[in-house]
Amino acid sequence: MLKERIERQNKFIADLPNNSITIIFGGSEIRKSADEAFEFQIDYNFFYLTGINQADTVLVFVKKESKTKTLLFIQKFDELKEKWTGIRLKVEEAREISGIEEILFVEDFSDELTKLINSFTNVTICLDYESAANYGNMNEFVSLSGYQKFLKENFSHLKFIDISQNLKLLRMIKSAHEIEKIRQAIHNTNLGLQAILKQLKPNKYEYEMAALFKYIIALNNNAKLSFNTIAASGINATILHYPHPMSKMNDGDLILFDLGSDNDEYKADISRTYPINGKYSEEQKKIYEIVLNCNKYIISLIKPGLTIKKLQEEAKMFMAKELIKMGLISDLEEISKYYYHNISHHLGLDTHDISLRELPLTKGNVITVEPGLYIKELKIGIRIEDDVLVTEDGSECLSLEIAKDIEEIETLMKG
Ligand code: GLY
Ligand code: MN
Ligand code: MN
């Protein structure tokens, strides 16, 4: 893994402009209340390049006359802080994880950077303008917004450029190691869904299922959720990101789950729609089969060269034709009444992973396939979402193990 991390750093450095300093912030905690922070989320680009998952960290690449230097800033040892909030990374550990020899302290970051800038006559500062570490941090000196202000006020001759695109191009192609992390996240997600299938009953509450999922995935190495679980029964499922799963689950309704387990920052993103009482009604079956067949059709199309835009057009056309046959709509355009989101996004460290989504798919991309139909008047919302790897000549559905056929689901619910 260390070898791969160093390769990533080298690939990234190779495309940086000459006479430049690139700064990537790990981010810092965001205050929640007087003495508590929200759960810390490492900046994914920082994590991708360093493997380090700790707040108040900064990665710097210097490229001068085509020679390069990499610096990593971490927090100084602080006995009192360790007594309150735990052990921090030591210099030697940071070196071992990141493969970066030169480790400095973030407390000296401004001084060190000033020295570096002053060693150039002309220098370009490369920043990741799309980084989430960009806003809301408690420590403004280790965030992009705070730091860019400091640089602009103190140095008049700096040129700034955005290097977010370079990171997108790298992260869009997943290595075998990354694909394995995603596979494990998906497998853990399936354990959660299997537990749900056993417990799903009328008159229980949506939040019981969401809580069960969180509990089951946490049994694996305290895995986090990829994102807040969507557990939306009946008409609630027509709200795409239904935020508060509070309703009682009614006999005869469906429930849509959109959820995922994290695995060492890599995400699964899966949607399944189950009958609360264990059996789909004839009407529900008809709509379900349209979404399921669309899901399978789109997966069958995926191969290098295709765009996500094309997949979206195909999905719309596929479902529109079926709804016209059923008499629910009368022309193709009307599909947007019942299908109002995109078919796919890249998946990886982030659920909606950074990407240049207009580019044709290439080997190593991991994307979701998530058709849905949301028919308020029938109290039906169905989404079936799988995670798919683009291979040399086609695709591999990474979430094949997660039941999605009607019979399979009904059998699992009986068991
Ligand atoms: N869970 C968000 C999505 O499916 O894109
Ligand atoms: Mn999803
Ligand atoms: Mn998704």
Side-chain angles (χ1 to χ4, degrees):
M1 189 52 225
L2 182 60
K3 189 166 154 262
E4 183 172 323
R5 199 160 285 135
I6 294 169
E7 274 170 19
R8 289 176 193 172
Q9 293 164 12
N10 290 339
K11 272 195 203 160
F12 180 64
I13 290 167
D15 284 335
L16 293 174
N18 205 5
N19 296 320
S20 68
I21 300 173
T22 302
I23 310 169
I24 297 182
F25 296 95
S28 75
E29 292 184 319
I30 299 173
R31 178 166 285 146
K32 182 177 180 188
S33 67
D35 72 341
E36 198 194 357
F38 286 104
E39 187 178 9
F40 174 66
Q41 177 57 61
I42 192 72
D43 176 74
Y44 291 123
N45 286 328
F46 177 88
F47 181 75
Y48 180 77
L49 291 167
T50 63
I52 285 176
N53 195 343
Q54 188 163 290
D56 295 345
T57 41
V58 193
L59 174 64
V60 174
F61 296 104
V62 185
K63 200 164 180 178
K64 193 176 183 187
E65 282 135 26
S66 299
K67 285 212 183 81
T68 59
K69 186 159 79 165
T70 306
L71 309 170
L72 178 65
F73 293 80
I74 64 169
Q75 293 177 59
K76 252 187 201 148
F77 174 72
D78 183 326
E79 194 179 353
L80 184 65
K81 280 194 182 157
E82 288 210 346
K83 279 182 177 162
W84 278 86
T85 54
I87 308 294
R88 287 129 189 257
L89 211 61
K90 306 283 182 293
V91 169
E92 207 35 61
E93 291 166 331
R95 204 171 271 147
E96 242 165 61
I97 297 170
S98 66
I100 298 167
E101 285 302 316
E102 227 172 309
I103 311 285
L104 299 159
F105 294 114
V106 76
E107 289 79 358
D108 304 323
F109 178 59
S110 291
D111 290 346
E112 292 293 336
L113 194 66
T114 301
K115 270 195 260 166
L116 276 174
I117 292 173
N118 287 335
S119 75
F120 285 89
T121 37
N122 259 317
V123 63
T124 302
I125 305 289
C126 307
L127 299 168
D128 171 17
Y129 280 73
E130 292 187 28
S131 161
N134 214 337
Y135 34 78
N137 286 316
M138 281 164 89
N139 185 348
E140 70 163 10
F141 283 99
V142 283
S143 74
L144 187 143
S145 53
Y147 215 79
Q148 198 174 18
K149 194 162 144 253
F150 167 83
L151 290 173
K152 282 186 171 160
E153 280 169 8
N154 289 279
F155 302 91
S156 55
H157 61 287
L158 299 177
K159 186 177 150 209
F160 291 90
I161 63 164
D162 179 14
I163 39 82
S164 55
Q165 179 150 327
N166 304 27
L167 292 156
K168 285 177 189 169
L169 287 167
L170 284 178
R171 274 179 50 192
M172 276 169 73
I173 313 283
K174 271 69 182 176
S175 69
H177 175 86
E178 291 183 288
I179 293 162
E180 188 50 37
K181 292 266 179 200
I182 297 171
R183 268 185 217 280
Q184 286 167 16
I186 292 168
H187 179 68
N188 203 32
T189 302
N190 193 25
L191 298 181
L193 280 169
Q194 285 172 336
I196 285 175
L197 281 169
K198 288 199 188 108
Q199 293 298 322
L200 197 54
K201 297 265 164 4
N203 301 321
K204 288 187 177 179
Y205 286 81
E206 293 166 340
Y207 55 77
E208 292 179 66
M209 300 299 110
L212 176 63
F213 181 74
K214 194 172 179 179
Y215 169 71
I216 296 292
I217 65 160
L219 293 179
N220 185 358
N221 216 15
N222 202 20
K224 303 182 284 186
L225 297 169
S226 294
F227 48 87
N228 281 337
T229 295
I230 297 167
S233 64
I235 201 166
N236 297 337
T238 62
I239 301 166
L240 299 181
H241 286 181
Y242 175 65
H244 304 295
M246 293 301 289
S247 297
K248 189 187 264 190
M249 300 185 293
N250 293 321
D251 197 351
D253 280 352
L254 298 176
I255 181 162
L256 186 161
F257 293 101
D258 185 345
L259 38 69
S261 168
D262 176 290
N263 174 34
D264 193 19
E265 300 301 328
Y266 285 85
K267 308 292 185 282
D269 180 11
I270 299 293
S271 301
R272 289 291 184 266
T273 308
Y274 302 141
I276 289 165
N277 65 13
K279 265 195 105 50
Y280 295 88
S281 72
E282 286 311 308
E283 184 179 58
Q284 290 164 349
K285 264 187 194 167
K286 271 193 209 143
I287 314 282
Y288 189 93
E289 292 285 4
I290 296 173
V291 180
L292 181 63
N293 290 336
C294 180
N295 163 294
K296 291 179 179 175
Y297 171 62
I298 297 299
I299 293 173
S300 78
L301 294 179
I302 294 175
K303 62 174 185 201
L306 230 57
T307 58
I308 288 179
K309 186 161 169 258
K310 173 74 176 156
L311 296 179
Q312 172 73 339
E313 284 162 10
E314 290 283 344
K316 277 172 119 169
M317 183 70 77
F318 184 98
M319 291 195 288
K321 281 186 184 158
E322 295 297 322
L323 293 195
I324 290 172
K325 273 191 231 158
M326 274 184 77
L328 266 166
I329 59 174
S330 50
D331 73 73
L332 294 173
E333 287 310 309
E334 264 183 279
I335 186 65
S336 54
K337 182 174 172 200
Y338 296 123
Y339 171 57
Y340 35 86
H341 57 75
N342 215 310
I343 190 68
S344 176
H345 53 82
H346 285 254
L347 177 75
L349 284 168
D350 209 348
T351 304
H352 288 196
D353 212 26
I354 58 168
S355 66
L356 298 169
R357 58 178 284 127
E358 64 283 4
L359 287 186
L361 297 172
T362 53
K363 182 183 165 198
N365 291 157
V366 176
I367 62 169
T368 64
V369 172
E370 47 183 304
L373 285 172
Y374 311 92
I375 306 174
K376 236 179 172 164
E377 52 275 30
L378 303 177
K379 287 202 308 170
I380 290 179
I382 296 170
R383 182 160 61 254
I384 305 174
E385 176 175 22
D386 283 298
D387 302 337
V388 178
L389 169 68
V390 181
T391 58
E392 186 132 23
D393 52 3
S395 74
E396 181 194 344
C397 180
L398 300 175
S399 44
L400 217 52
E401 66 173 288
I402 307 183
K404 62 181 173 182
D405 286 321
I406 286 180
E407 247 181 58
E408 223 182 326
I409 289 169
E410 289 183 346
T411 306
L412 284 169
M413 288 188 74
K414 256 189 246 156

